[in-house]
Short mmCIF file of all heavy atoms in Angstrom, two decimals:
data_model
loop_
_atom_site.label_atom_id
_atom_site.label_comp_id
_atom_site.label_asym_id
_atom_site.label_seq_id
_atom_site.Cartn_x
_atom_site.Cartn_y
_atom_site.Cartn_z
N GLU A 1176 180.12 -222.53 -25.96
CA GLU A 1176 181.11 -223.13 -25.07
C GLU A 1176 182.10 -224.02 -25.90
O GLU A 1176 183.18 -224.25 -25.44
CB GLU A 1176 180.42 -224.04 -24.03
CG GLU A 1176 179.64 -223.19 -23.01
CD GLU A 1176 179.35 -224.01 -21.79
OE1 GLU A 1176 180.24 -224.62 -21.18
OE2 GLU A 1176 178.17 -223.94 -21.41
N GLY A 1177 181.70 -224.40 -27.04
CA GLY A 1177 182.66 -225.11 -27.98
C GLY A 1177 183.86 -224.20 -28.25
O GLY A 1177 185.06 -224.59 -28.19
N GLU A 1178 183.66 -223.00 -28.64
CA GLU A 1178 184.64 -221.98 -28.96
C GLU A 1178 185.49 -221.63 -27.63
O GLU A 1178 186.64 -221.37 -27.74
CB GLU A 1178 184.13 -220.81 -29.67
CG GLU A 1178 183.48 -221.10 -30.99
CD GLU A 1178 184.47 -221.88 -31.91
OE1 GLU A 1178 185.61 -221.47 -31.98
OE2 GLU A 1178 184.02 -222.79 -32.51
N VAL A 1179 184.73 -221.45 -26.57
CA VAL A 1179 185.38 -221.19 -25.31
C VAL A 1179 186.33 -222.24 -24.96
O VAL A 1179 187.55 -221.94 -24.62
CB VAL A 1179 184.29 -221.01 -24.19
CG1 VAL A 1179 184.94 -221.00 -22.80
CG2 VAL A 1179 183.51 -219.81 -24.38
N CYS A 1180 185.99 -223.52 -25.12
CA CYS A 1180 186.83 -224.59 -24.83
C CYS A 1180 188.07 -224.62 -25.70
O CYS A 1180 189.20 -224.96 -25.31
CB CYS A 1180 186.04 -225.90 -24.91
SG CYS A 1180 186.72 -227.28 -23.96
N ALA A 1181 187.97 -224.31 -26.99
CA ALA A 1181 188.99 -224.27 -27.88
C ALA A 1181 190.03 -223.23 -27.44
O ALA A 1181 191.20 -223.45 -27.56
CB ALA A 1181 188.53 -224.00 -29.30
N LEU A 1182 189.61 -222.02 -27.11
CA LEU A 1182 190.46 -220.99 -26.67
C LEU A 1182 191.21 -221.32 -25.36
O LEU A 1182 192.36 -221.11 -25.14
CB LEU A 1182 189.78 -219.64 -26.52
CG LEU A 1182 190.65 -218.44 -26.08
CD1 LEU A 1182 191.79 -218.19 -27.12
CD2 LEU A 1182 189.78 -217.18 -26.02
N ALA A 1183 190.34 -221.99 -24.46
CA ALA A 1183 191.03 -222.37 -23.16
C ALA A 1183 192.11 -223.33 -23.30
O ALA A 1183 193.07 -223.39 -22.56
CB ALA A 1183 189.89 -223.01 -22.29
N ALA A 1184 192.03 -224.22 -24.38
CA ALA A 1184 193.08 -225.25 -24.58
C ALA A 1184 194.49 -224.54 -24.69
O ALA A 1184 195.50 -225.19 -24.39
CB ALA A 1184 192.71 -226.03 -25.78
N SER A 1185 194.50 -223.41 -25.27
CA SER A 1185 195.78 -222.77 -25.58
C SER A 1185 196.21 -221.91 -24.38
O SER A 1185 197.40 -221.37 -24.42
CB SER A 1185 195.69 -221.89 -26.82
OG SER A 1185 194.82 -220.80 -26.65
N ARG A 1186 195.38 -221.67 -23.41
CA ARG A 1186 195.66 -220.80 -22.28
C ARG A 1186 195.63 -221.28 -20.83
O ARG A 1186 196.05 -220.82 -19.86
CB ARG A 1186 194.75 -219.54 -22.41
CG ARG A 1186 194.95 -218.77 -23.69
CD ARG A 1186 194.04 -217.55 -23.67
NE ARG A 1186 194.27 -216.71 -24.92
CZ ARG A 1186 193.60 -215.60 -25.21
NH1 ARG A 1186 192.69 -215.12 -24.38
NH2 ARG A 1186 193.83 -214.92 -26.36
N ILE A 1187 195.05 -222.54 -20.81
CA ILE A 1187 194.87 -223.06 -19.40
C ILE A 1187 196.15 -223.44 -18.84
O ILE A 1187 197.14 -223.83 -19.52
CB ILE A 1187 193.92 -224.35 -19.52
CG1 ILE A 1187 193.36 -224.70 -18.20
CG2 ILE A 1187 194.60 -225.59 -20.26
CD1 ILE A 1187 192.20 -225.68 -18.28
N ASP A 1188 196.29 -223.28 -17.49
CA ASP A 1188 197.49 -223.58 -16.79
C ASP A 1188 197.36 -224.93 -16.01
O ASP A 1188 196.25 -225.46 -15.83
CB ASP A 1188 197.97 -222.50 -15.86
CG ASP A 1188 197.01 -222.06 -14.79
OD1 ASP A 1188 196.33 -223.05 -14.16
OD2 ASP A 1188 196.87 -220.89 -14.45
N ASP A 1189 198.46 -225.43 -15.45
CA ASP A 1189 198.42 -226.69 -14.81
C ASP A 1189 197.51 -226.72 -13.64
O ASP A 1189 196.84 -227.71 -13.22
CB ASP A 1189 199.84 -227.14 -14.39
CG ASP A 1189 200.69 -227.43 -15.63
OD1 ASP A 1189 200.18 -227.74 -16.65
OD2 ASP A 1189 201.92 -227.51 -15.55
N SER A 1190 197.55 -225.57 -12.81
CA SER A 1190 196.71 -225.64 -11.64
C SER A 1190 195.29 -225.68 -12.04
O SER A 1190 194.42 -226.26 -11.27
CB SER A 1190 197.03 -224.34 -10.82
OG SER A 1190 196.60 -223.18 -11.51
N GLN A 1191 194.78 -224.97 -13.07
CA GLN A 1191 193.44 -225.14 -13.45
C GLN A 1191 193.05 -226.48 -14.00
O GLN A 1191 191.96 -226.95 -13.77
CB GLN A 1191 193.23 -224.07 -14.59
CG GLN A 1191 193.16 -222.59 -14.08
CD GLN A 1191 193.20 -221.62 -15.24
OE1 GLN A 1191 193.79 -221.77 -16.24
NE2 GLN A 1191 192.44 -220.50 -15.00
N LEU A 1192 194.03 -227.13 -14.63
CA LEU A 1192 193.81 -228.51 -15.16
C LEU A 1192 193.56 -229.49 -13.89
O LEU A 1192 192.73 -230.37 -13.95
CB LEU A 1192 194.98 -229.04 -15.96
CG LEU A 1192 195.10 -228.41 -17.32
CD1 LEU A 1192 196.46 -228.80 -17.93
CD2 LEU A 1192 193.91 -228.97 -18.24
N GLU A 1193 194.36 -229.21 -12.87
CA GLU A 1193 194.18 -230.05 -11.58
C GLU A 1193 192.78 -229.77 -10.93
O GLU A 1193 192.21 -230.69 -10.38
CB GLU A 1193 195.35 -229.87 -10.63
CG GLU A 1193 196.68 -230.37 -11.23
CD GLU A 1193 196.57 -231.73 -11.58
OE1 GLU A 1193 196.17 -232.60 -10.80
OE2 GLU A 1193 197.01 -232.08 -12.76
N GLU A 1194 192.44 -228.53 -11.03
CA GLU A 1194 191.15 -228.17 -10.36
C GLU A 1194 190.04 -228.82 -11.24
O GLU A 1194 188.98 -229.24 -10.62
CB GLU A 1194 191.02 -226.59 -10.34
CG GLU A 1194 189.71 -226.13 -9.56
CD GLU A 1194 189.66 -224.67 -9.37
OE1 GLU A 1194 190.64 -223.98 -9.74
OE2 GLU A 1194 188.66 -224.22 -8.90
N LEU A 1195 190.16 -228.85 -12.50
CA LEU A 1195 189.10 -229.53 -13.33
C LEU A 1195 189.07 -231.01 -13.00
O LEU A 1195 187.98 -231.58 -12.91
CB LEU A 1195 189.47 -229.28 -14.79
CG LEU A 1195 189.20 -227.89 -15.45
CD1 LEU A 1195 189.65 -227.93 -16.91
CD2 LEU A 1195 187.73 -227.52 -15.31
N ALA A 1196 190.17 -231.55 -12.73
CA ALA A 1196 190.21 -232.99 -12.47
C ALA A 1196 189.57 -233.20 -11.02
O ALA A 1196 188.88 -234.18 -10.86
CB ALA A 1196 191.72 -233.50 -12.36
N SER A 1197 189.73 -232.28 -10.14
CA SER A 1197 189.12 -232.42 -8.72
C SER A 1197 187.60 -232.30 -8.92
O SER A 1197 186.85 -233.01 -8.24
CB SER A 1197 189.67 -231.23 -7.85
OG SER A 1197 189.04 -231.39 -6.62
N LEU A 1198 187.13 -231.36 -9.78
CA LEU A 1198 185.73 -231.13 -10.02
C LEU A 1198 185.15 -232.39 -10.66
O LEU A 1198 184.06 -232.77 -10.41
CB LEU A 1198 185.48 -229.95 -10.84
CG LEU A 1198 185.67 -228.62 -10.16
CD1 LEU A 1198 185.71 -227.47 -11.16
CD2 LEU A 1198 184.62 -228.38 -9.05
N LEU A 1199 185.87 -233.06 -11.59
CA LEU A 1199 185.40 -234.25 -12.22
C LEU A 1199 185.30 -235.36 -11.21
O LEU A 1199 184.27 -236.10 -11.18
CB LEU A 1199 186.48 -234.66 -13.31
CG LEU A 1199 186.09 -235.88 -14.12
CD1 LEU A 1199 184.81 -235.67 -14.90
CD2 LEU A 1199 187.26 -236.15 -15.16
N ASN A 1200 186.22 -235.47 -10.21
CA ASN A 1200 186.04 -236.48 -9.17
C ASN A 1200 184.85 -236.20 -8.32
O ASN A 1200 184.15 -237.06 -7.81
CB ASN A 1200 187.32 -236.55 -8.32
CG ASN A 1200 188.42 -237.22 -9.12
OD1 ASN A 1200 188.20 -238.15 -9.84
ND2 ASN A 1200 189.64 -236.82 -8.78
N GLU A 1201 184.62 -234.90 -8.06
CA GLU A 1201 183.44 -234.47 -7.27
C GLU A 1201 182.23 -234.83 -7.96
O GLU A 1201 181.26 -235.39 -7.22
CB GLU A 1201 183.49 -232.92 -6.98
CG GLU A 1201 182.47 -232.43 -6.05
CD GLU A 1201 182.57 -230.89 -5.84
OE1 GLU A 1201 183.61 -230.39 -5.94
OE2 GLU A 1201 181.52 -230.38 -5.40
N MET A 1202 182.09 -234.65 -9.23
CA MET A 1202 180.90 -235.06 -10.09
C MET A 1202 180.71 -236.58 -9.92
O MET A 1202 179.59 -237.05 -9.65
CB MET A 1202 180.99 -234.72 -11.52
CG MET A 1202 180.57 -233.33 -11.82
SD MET A 1202 180.64 -233.07 -13.63
CE MET A 1202 182.24 -232.33 -13.86
N ARG A 1203 181.85 -237.25 -10.01
CA ARG A 1203 181.71 -238.74 -9.96
C ARG A 1203 181.26 -239.26 -8.59
O ARG A 1203 180.31 -240.13 -8.57
CB ARG A 1203 183.08 -239.29 -10.25
CG ARG A 1203 183.16 -240.86 -10.27
CD ARG A 1203 184.55 -241.45 -10.45
NE ARG A 1203 185.03 -241.15 -11.82
CZ ARG A 1203 186.00 -240.28 -12.10
NH1 ARG A 1203 186.49 -239.54 -11.12
NH2 ARG A 1203 186.36 -240.16 -13.39
N ASN A 1204 181.76 -238.68 -7.59
CA ASN A 1204 181.27 -239.00 -6.23
C ASN A 1204 179.92 -238.67 -5.94
O ASN A 1204 179.08 -239.44 -5.36
CB ASN A 1204 182.23 -238.46 -5.22
CG ASN A 1204 183.67 -239.02 -5.32
OD1 ASN A 1204 183.85 -240.16 -5.75
ND2 ASN A 1204 184.63 -238.23 -4.88
N GLU A 1205 179.55 -237.35 -6.31
CA GLU A 1205 178.21 -236.88 -5.97
C GLU A 1205 177.08 -237.54 -6.84
O GLU A 1205 175.93 -237.52 -6.41
CB GLU A 1205 178.16 -235.38 -6.14
CG GLU A 1205 178.99 -234.56 -5.15
CD GLU A 1205 178.53 -234.83 -3.66
OE1 GLU A 1205 177.46 -235.37 -3.46
OE2 GLU A 1205 179.23 -234.30 -2.79
N ASN A 1206 177.45 -238.07 -8.01
CA ASN A 1206 176.47 -238.84 -8.75
C ASN A 1206 175.83 -239.96 -8.00
O ASN A 1206 174.68 -240.33 -8.20
CB ASN A 1206 177.08 -239.36 -10.11
CG ASN A 1206 177.02 -238.34 -11.19
OD1 ASN A 1206 176.33 -237.32 -11.14
ND2 ASN A 1206 177.75 -238.67 -12.26
N GLU A 1207 176.60 -240.45 -7.03
CA GLU A 1207 176.10 -241.55 -6.25
C GLU A 1207 175.29 -241.18 -5.06
O GLU A 1207 174.69 -242.06 -4.44
CB GLU A 1207 177.27 -242.46 -5.82
CG GLU A 1207 178.13 -242.95 -6.96
CD GLU A 1207 177.31 -243.85 -7.92
OE1 GLU A 1207 176.43 -244.64 -7.49
OE2 GLU A 1207 177.56 -243.75 -9.18
N HIS A 1208 175.42 -239.90 -4.73
CA HIS A 1208 174.83 -239.44 -3.42
C HIS A 1208 173.82 -238.25 -3.58
O HIS A 1208 172.71 -238.29 -3.07
CB HIS A 1208 175.89 -238.98 -2.46
CG HIS A 1208 176.94 -240.08 -2.24
ND1 HIS A 1208 176.65 -241.20 -1.51
CD2 HIS A 1208 178.23 -240.15 -2.63
CE1 HIS A 1208 177.79 -241.95 -1.48
NE2 HIS A 1208 178.70 -241.39 -2.15
N ASP A 1209 174.21 -237.28 -4.41
CA ASP A 1209 173.41 -236.01 -4.44
C ASP A 1209 173.58 -235.49 -5.86
O ASP A 1209 174.58 -234.80 -6.16
CB ASP A 1209 173.94 -235.07 -3.37
CG ASP A 1209 173.05 -233.75 -3.33
OD1 ASP A 1209 172.30 -233.53 -4.23
OD2 ASP A 1209 173.10 -233.07 -2.38
N VAL A 1210 172.61 -235.62 -6.77
CA VAL A 1210 172.68 -235.33 -8.09
C VAL A 1210 172.81 -233.79 -8.26
O VAL A 1210 173.51 -233.22 -9.17
CB VAL A 1210 171.56 -235.87 -8.96
CG1 VAL A 1210 171.63 -235.34 -10.36
CG2 VAL A 1210 171.63 -237.37 -8.94
N MET A 1211 172.03 -233.07 -7.41
CA MET A 1211 172.11 -231.67 -7.52
C MET A 1211 173.46 -231.04 -7.09
O MET A 1211 173.97 -230.10 -7.72
CB MET A 1211 171.00 -230.98 -6.61
CG MET A 1211 169.60 -231.35 -7.01
SD MET A 1211 168.36 -230.46 -6.14
CE MET A 1211 168.56 -228.81 -6.79
N ALA A 1212 174.13 -231.74 -6.14
CA ALA A 1212 175.53 -231.35 -5.93
C ALA A 1212 176.49 -231.66 -7.01
O ALA A 1212 177.38 -230.94 -7.32
CB ALA A 1212 176.08 -232.07 -4.62
N SER A 1213 176.20 -232.71 -7.78
CA SER A 1213 176.95 -233.18 -8.92
C SER A 1213 176.71 -232.09 -10.02
O SER A 1213 177.70 -231.67 -10.72
CB SER A 1213 176.56 -234.46 -9.41
OG SER A 1213 177.35 -234.81 -10.53
N GLU A 1214 175.52 -231.58 -10.18
CA GLU A 1214 175.21 -230.53 -11.19
C GLU A 1214 175.88 -229.27 -10.88
O GLU A 1214 176.35 -228.51 -11.74
CB GLU A 1214 173.75 -230.41 -11.32
CG GLU A 1214 172.89 -231.55 -11.90
CD GLU A 1214 171.48 -231.50 -11.89
OE1 GLU A 1214 171.00 -230.33 -11.31
OE2 GLU A 1214 170.74 -232.35 -12.44
N ASP A 1215 176.02 -228.90 -9.52
CA ASP A 1215 176.71 -227.72 -9.18
C ASP A 1215 178.19 -227.83 -9.52
O ASP A 1215 178.85 -226.92 -10.01
CB ASP A 1215 176.57 -227.51 -7.65
CG ASP A 1215 177.33 -226.35 -7.21
OD1 ASP A 1215 176.95 -225.19 -7.58
OD2 ASP A 1215 178.36 -226.35 -6.51
#
């Protein structure tokens, strides 16, 4: 995944970056309520 992430850096688009930000917020919120949902 280290190499995957390196390649992704040169190819990722703005919509995928925003989706990653949304998933990050989901992790943050679910950490307080449902850890298994956060892990998903």
Side-chain angles (χ1 to χ4, degrees):
E1176 290 196 53
E1178 296 308 312
V1179 168
C1180 203
L1182 182 59
S1185 65
R1186 298 182 178 180
I1187 197 165
D1188 61 37
D1189 290 343
S1190 65
Q1191 289 171 322
L1192 287 169
E1193 292 310 307
E1194 189 174 350
L1195 286 175
S1197 177
L1198 287 170
L1199 185 57
N1200 285 330
E1201 185 177 340
M1202 272 187 270
R1203 182 183 291 108
N1204 294 332
E1205 293 297 353
N1206 270 351
E1207 303 301 321
H1208 306 289
D1209 186 343
V1210 175
M1211 293 189 71
S1213 179
E1214 290 174 358
D1215 179 68

